[in-house]
Amino acid sequence: MSWTTGSGEKINFFEILQIIKKHHGEKGLVFVGTDSFRQANRCTFVTSIVLLSGANQRGGRYFILKEIFKQTPSFYNRILKEVEKSINIALKITEICPNVDLEIHLDVSSEEKNEKTSSLATMLRGYAMGSGFKCKLKPYSFAASSVADKHSK
């Protein structure tokens, strides 16, 4: 898996974990989210790790993992895969830094007007929370809906 910094530099996951450890020591917050973009013959998933609010930190810092698959899953399978990818990364982070203040951001809305994802919102939030994580939905899920979305297209 090839991770990239927000400025486009390659970085390995072990290095990211070391940065997260330091960030946690500075009382920083960690957000994980995944978004996907489906095209005719492929589907791109982008998972982001966003670091904010550390002591003496100005602005934020983020890392992304972009994965391209040749198959294009159905809408519901794609959304479920987004949540699964976020949970898996969050679990890896908390193995190394168990007390980190981590929140998963889902690219779904509980609002009725977005009926395509609203019917899944309760189940997906339950999946993330049942895995032991705090969870936010749109419009508060910036790690998925802004950072990952920016890099998925």
Side-chain angles (χ1 to χ4, degrees), residues 10-21 63:
K10 297 288 183 200
I11 186 169
N12 69 50
F13 192 65
F14 179 76
E15 291 173 290
I16 295 171
L17 290 173
Q18 299 314 305
I19 292 167
I20 290 171
K21 272 179 153 177
F63 309 94

Side-chain angles (χ1 to χ4, degrees), residues 21-145:
K21 272 179 153 177
K22 184 176 184 231
H23 185 70
H24 171 64
E26 297 170 348
K27 307 287 189 236
L29 308 175
V30 179
F31 306 91
V32 176
T34 303
D35 194 19
S36 62
F37 183 68
R38 185 176 169 199
Q39 294 172 304
N41 60 348
R42 68 181 184 162
C43 188
T44 303
F45 287 88
V46 174
T47 300
S48 67
I49 300 171
V50 180
L51 309 180
L52 294 175
S53 302
N56 303 316
Q57 180 181 358
R58 291 179 183 233
R61 184 172 193 182
Y62 70 90
F63 309 94
I64 60 163
L65 173 65
K66 190 177 220 178
E67 299 173 283
I68 300 172
F69 296 92
K70 290 188 179 178
Q71 68 265 38
T72 54
S74 70
F75 175 78
Y76 295 107
N77 286 338
R78 196 174 91 226
I79 300 301
L80 184 59
K81 189 62 130 175
E82 289 177 9
V83 178
E84 177 185 12
K85 287 181 173 298
S86 294
I87 289 170
N88 287 339
I89 292 300
L91 287 169
K92 288 178 183 177
I93 291 169
T94 56
E95 280 177 16
I96 301 301
C97 204
N99 297 318
V100 69
D101 192 352
L102 189 145
E103 189 171 271
I104 292 180
H105 286 190
L106 305 182
D107 192 31
V108 298
S109 173
S110 60
E111 295 179 15
E112 295 279 330
K113 67 180 181 181
N114 188 351
E115 60 188 63
K116 216 170 181 186
T117 61
S118 66
S119 64
L120 301 172
T122 301
M123 176 196 63
L124 296 173
R125 177 187 284 161
Y127 182 21
M129 293 176 71
S131 298
F133 300 104
K134 293 182 275 181
C135 178
K136 289 278 172 53
L137 305 178
K138 285 181 180 177
Y140 307 104
S141 59
F142 62 84
S145 58

